Amino acid sequence: ERMVLFPDELRISKSMRQVLKKGEFIITENKAFEEVIFHCKNTERKDEFGTWITDEMEQAYIELHKLGIAKSIEIWRFDSAQRPTELVGGLYGLEIGNIFCGESMFSKVSNASKVAFVHLVKSKNDNMIDCQVYNEHLASLGAREIERDSFIEMIQ
């Protein structure tokens, strides 16, 4: 099975709507790709050991970013002048045609990766977000598993 989100199935909880409305973060796209992948690679996660992002993979994704294929969404805290000061969350992936293939995300503060994901879904014209494998975090936002054959048919 493959975990995917169809944009019209995005679920934003009442509490997340309040977070988005408060404007606690500055959101940017493709401004700090290398920092995002660095944090995805190095942020410790509960109940996980290590990362699948090797040094070679990190460099390959950086090259794909330079070619305009790999994209990032960055979530920042800001200062009193509304300038980004600290990267606190984000995600990156590959945009291929009208599908965004999410690779990894990180969050240093509560809700930062969810804000990045919601922004991704709402700001792109993608028909599908490929989340790859099930996790509760993405399921809470409306992602669901589909059969492998259906997934292959959709990406063709």
Side-chain angles (χ1 to χ4, degrees), residues 20 25-29 31 73-76 115-116 119-120:
L20 295 168
F25 304 110
I26 291 176
I27 303 168
T28 58
E29 296 184 20
K31 301 292 185 204
I73 307 290
E74 304 93 17
I75 306 301
W76 306 85
V115 169
H119 177 81
L120 169 73

Side-chain angles (χ1 to χ4, degrees), residues 24-25 75 77 86 88-89 106-113:
E24 296 177 28
F25 304 110
I75 306 301
R77 284 194 175 144
E86 180 188 5
V88 294
F106 81 97
S107 186
K108 290 183 175 182
V109 299
S110 183
N111 296 313
S113 62

Side-chain angles (χ1 to χ4, degrees), residues 24-152:
E24 296 177 28
F25 304 110
I26 291 176
I27 303 168
T28 58
E29 296 184 20
N30 302 308
K31 301 292 185 204
F33 183 88
E34 291 185 30
E35 290 178 68
V36 169
I37 196 169
F38 173 85
H39 287 293
C40 288
K41 179 180 175 184
N42 293 294
T43 298
E44 289 189 32
R45 291 168 172 82
K46 182 182 166 191
D47 300 326
E48 289 185 25
F49 303 97
T51 179
W52 62 270
I53 306 170
T54 64
D55 292 342
E56 294 80 14
M57 297 218 32
E58 181 178 19
Q59 288 308 307
Y61 280 105
I62 290 169
E63 290 303 314
L64 288 169
H65 175 67
K66 290 175 183 174
L67 294 171
I69 298 168
K71 312 282 181 158
S72 63
I73 307 290
E74 304 93 17
I75 306 301
W76 306 85
R77 284 194 175 144
F78 52 88
D79 64 17
S80 60
Q82 298 290 305
R83 292 180 302 232
T85 57
E86 180 188 5
L87 183 64
V88 294
L91 60 82
Y92 77 95
L94 304 177
E95 195 159 49
I96 303 170
N98 59 2
I99 299 172
F100 187 90
C101 302
E103 295 297 330
S104 190
M105 57 175 46
F106 81 97
S107 186
K108 290 183 175 182
V109 299
S110 183
N111 296 313
S113 62
K114 285 184 181 180
V115 169
F117 189 77
V118 169
H119 177 81
L120 169 73
V121 175
K122 291 183 154 223
S123 67
K124 303 287 184 193
N125 291 322
D126 297 317
N127 291 343
M128 180 174 63
I129 310 296
D130 174 18
C131 304
Q132 299 182 29
V133 295
Y134 178 88
N135 73 49
E136 289 181 26
H137 177 72
L138 294 170
S140 73
L141 292 163
R144 60 184 168 96
E145 291 180 314
I146 61 172
E147 294 295 323
R148 180 180 189 275
D149 292 342
S150 297
F151 177 76
I152 290 172

